[in-house]
Amino acid sequence: MGGAAASGASRFASDRRKALQGRSGWVGLVHNSRVFSIAMFASLGGLLYGYNQGVFSGVLSMSSFTSRMASAVDNPGTKGWLVAILELGAWFGVLCTGTLADKLSRKYTIVFAVVVFCIGVIVQTAAFEPSSIYGAAFSTLVFSAELAPPEVRGSLVALQQLAITFGIMISFWIDYGTNYIGGTGLTQSEAAWRIPIALQIVPALVLGWLVNKGRDDEALRVLSKARHLPPDSDLVQIEFLEIKAQYLFEKETNALKYPEYQDGSFSSNLKLAANAYLSLISTRTLFYRVAIGSLTMFFQQWTGVNAILYYAPSIFTSLGLTGNTTNLLATGVVGIVMWLATFPAVLWVDKVGRKPVLVSVTNFRCHLIVAILTAMYQKDWAAHTGAGWAACVFVWIFSIAFGYSWGPCSWILVAEIWPLSMRGKGISIAASSNWMNNFIVGQVTPTMLTHLTYGTFIFFGVFSFLGGVFVLFFVPETKGLTLEEMDEVFGDREGLAVADQQRQNEIAERIGLSAYSQANHSQVLEDRQEKSAV
């Protein structure tokens, strides 16, 4: 199944909406305060995700933690599992969120995730054995994109990335501060690592409380409030009818394609969901999106960003920095520069586009330079401290480059390429690719650093270069396109037949969307004036 491409009369309605919509990018986001407040709420999930990603980086190098969890930390393989098992759990969880979000709503999916997350934090905080550290994580990407108008959707998702990098940054500096509890050596208190782990629960509880304070509104009322326009305005009406047309198209397509699963039972809903997932790989245009989403997440992870985020203190040690405090300080700089670098993405991603910032060789160059310096001086860093600090600087530059490019833009791309009815399932597939590759990176990095040394940076550098090549030749530009207009970009060779296009036009005619064509717009205004007069 594919989303309804804008065709026939509905194409004119789409053009009309574009003419009416507000300014794009960060200006449009700030101007639309209602949507901005929704984004700020949803970005609490990004803060949680970022904090969870960053907190173990510093914890792994703390003296009291390594003493308590020595059986896991001392071995590169088990050390990798200690970090990576979180991503493996999240990989399984994110596969469920597509169906859960569609069936239970984004609201209750978030509530469920908050409960699971809080239980995991409590278990991790009270851990006395490595097995208790293994937990789960979650993300709220689908929710933050749900109410975003197309003209500022990229900035909203970039705002969530800003929240993620902010979470990473504060986790690094909290680790740096708590590292002093009881001293930085053998006398260090276990509170040094238990406190930063426990603090994960604070934004989770705030997120859960805010969700429960909200209430469900009708779609038209929500759109009207979000756009600060009356319900009968052209912009609200057109966008509402576009969403309604998309929903009816998918519902009627399901009824025609799977008539045996329409009784509403749990078994039928499960089979319908399974067939919907299968359609992602059996339909050419949807499989193209699956490939774009999954490979984008693959290349994002194999830039090596999470190798740095998870093992920054170990990496800085391998680059000649001595002392745990110095390593944590250098790690804190990674958090600051990555967070600051995300601001340009929030400000300009909807103007510059996705491809220009993704097709970059900065990450490749940084990895290559660090690899060269490590190969030349790793046997005697003490005599070449300047080279060691130079390598650290290029790690920071890499963090900056990732912060404004692959960090936000890959998620923006993945969030906006799907038809409305397939978005939950489509994002869950792409996000599962992110988590699975995240898991693999987290698992293998300690072993790579031990055995490959400078080859680790060459490895990630090559994949950074290949990621740019992939985007350059295979990924379409999606800036400024509505979710429905994506179908035109990804083609209609196999996904939508002539009968589907006819059904789309019939639905547009049936619900009044075709009345907003440029040819009929004057008639619509006359009808409204007549109704007002009556």
Side-chain angles (χ1 to χ4, degrees), residues 18-289:
K18 279 186 174 182
L20 291 169
Q21 72 186 18
R23 300 178 68 178
S24 65
W26 177 253
V27 175
L29 181 59
V30 174
H31 175 73
N32 198 332
S33 59
R34 173 74 178 176
V35 174
F36 183 76
S37 64
I38 292 171
M40 292 300 294
F41 152 73
S43 293
L44 279 172
L47 178 66
L48 273 173
Y49 168 57
Y51 188 96
N52 182 260
Q53 272 200 312
V55 70
F56 270 93
S57 177
V59 164
L60 285 173
S61 64
M62 291 183 183
S63 176
S64 58
F65 183 83
T66 56
S67 297
R68 170 64 67 180
M69 306 294 174
S71 60
V73 177
D74 292 343
N75 182 288
T78 54
K79 182 179 180 180
W81 274 102
L82 196 64
V83 171
I85 195 66
L86 298 172
E87 280 61 58
L88 188 62
W91 167 77
F92 175 77
V94 79
L95 286 175
C96 303
T97 60
T99 300
L100 285 174
D102 289 340
K103 298 299 180 184
L104 301 181
S105 83
R106 274 71 180 164
K107 172 180 176 179
Y108 294 110
T109 301
I110 293 173
V111 171
F112 175 74
V114 166
V115 172
V116 174
F117 185 86
C118 290
I119 293 173
V121 170
I122 293 170
V123 172
Q124 291 171 3
T125 304
F128 284 91
E129 297 290 340
S131 57
S132 299
I133 296 294
Y134 303 151
F138 78 106
S139 67
T140 55
L141 175 66
V142 176
F143 180 76
S144 72
E146 184 65 24
L147 286 178
E151 65 270 20
V152 297
R153 188 175 60 241
S155 289
L156 281 173
V157 181
L159 184 64
Q160 174 149 328
Q161 182 65 22
L162 186 66
I164 292 173
T165 55
F166 182 72
I168 292 170
M169 180 185 67
I170 62 175
S171 73
F172 285 167
W173 286 103
I174 288 175
D175 283 346
Y176 178 76
T178 60
N179 182 57
Y180 287 97
I181 299 178
T184 59
L186 297 177
T187 61
Q188 187 180 64
S189 169
E190 289 193 349
W193 60 270
R194 294 189 188 275
I195 289 176
I197 290 177
L199 286 176
Q200 296 176 95
I201 205 169
V202 175
L205 292 176
V206 173
L207 179 61
W209 180 79
L210 288 173
V211 169
N212 283 318
K213 292 292 286 184
R215 69 172 186 262
D216 295 328
D217 293 319
E218 294 181 355
L220 184 59
R221 183 180 176 187
V222 172
L223 287 171
S224 175
K225 291 176 67 178
R227 307 304 180 262
H228 290 299
L229 293 170
D232 62 349
S233 69
D234 280 5
L235 181 59
V236 172
Q237 286 289 326
I238 292 173
E239 192 165 354
F240 170 71
L241 291 175
E242 284 179 335
I243 294 172
K244 184 176 181 180
Q246 175 70 18
Y247 167 76
L248 290 174
F249 173 77
E250 297 297 341
K251 182 179 180 181
E252 293 179 13
T253 300
N254 279 337
L256 288 173
K257 204 169 184 179
Y258 310 110
E260 66 275 27
Y261 303 137
Q262 302 302 311
D263 58 11
S265 66
F266 175 80
S267 175
S268 293
N269 286 336
L270 188 63
K271 292 175 181 177
L272 187 62
N275 279 279
Y277 270 109
L278 288 175
S279 72
L280 289 173
I281 60 175
S282 61
T283 306
R284 180 184 177 90
T285 181
L286 293 179
F287 182 71
Y288 183 18
R289 300 174 202 233

Side-chain angles (χ1 to χ4, degrees), residues 433-450:
S433 171
N434 178 280
W435 284 112
M436 177 53 69
N437 286 285
N438 196 335
F439 160 72
I440 297 172
V441 170
Q443 167 61 30
V444 303
T445 297
T447 302
M448 293 175 67
L449 289 172
T450 300

Side-chain angles (χ1 to χ4, degrees), residues 451-463:
H451 299 290
L452 296 182
T453 61
Y454 67 87
T456 304
F457 299 101
I458 295 177
F459 180 87
F460 287 131
V462 169
F463 274 95

Side-chain angles (χ1 to χ4, degrees), residues 365-382:
R365 288 174 177 171
C366 289
H367 281 305
L368 184 61
I369 293 172
V370 173
I372 292 172
L373 291 173
T374 304
M376 294 175 63
Y377 304 116
Q378 64 179 342
K379 293 183 179 179
D380 192 12
W381 282 118

Side-chain angles (χ1 to χ4, degrees), residues 490-509:
F490 286 94
D492 183 27
R493 300 180 185 87
E494 298 177 9
L496 297 175
V498 174
D500 290 338
Q501 294 179 353
Q502 291 175 345
R503 192 180 310 117
Q504 293 163 20
N505 291 332
E506 290 169 2
I507 291 172
E509 184 70 31

Side-chain angles (χ1 to χ4, degrees), residues 381-404:
W381 282 118
H384 302 88
T385 55
W389 278 108
C392 292
V393 168
F394 278 99
V395 172
W396 296 334
I397 294 174
F398 165 84
S399 301
I400 293 172
F402 184 87
Y404 70 74

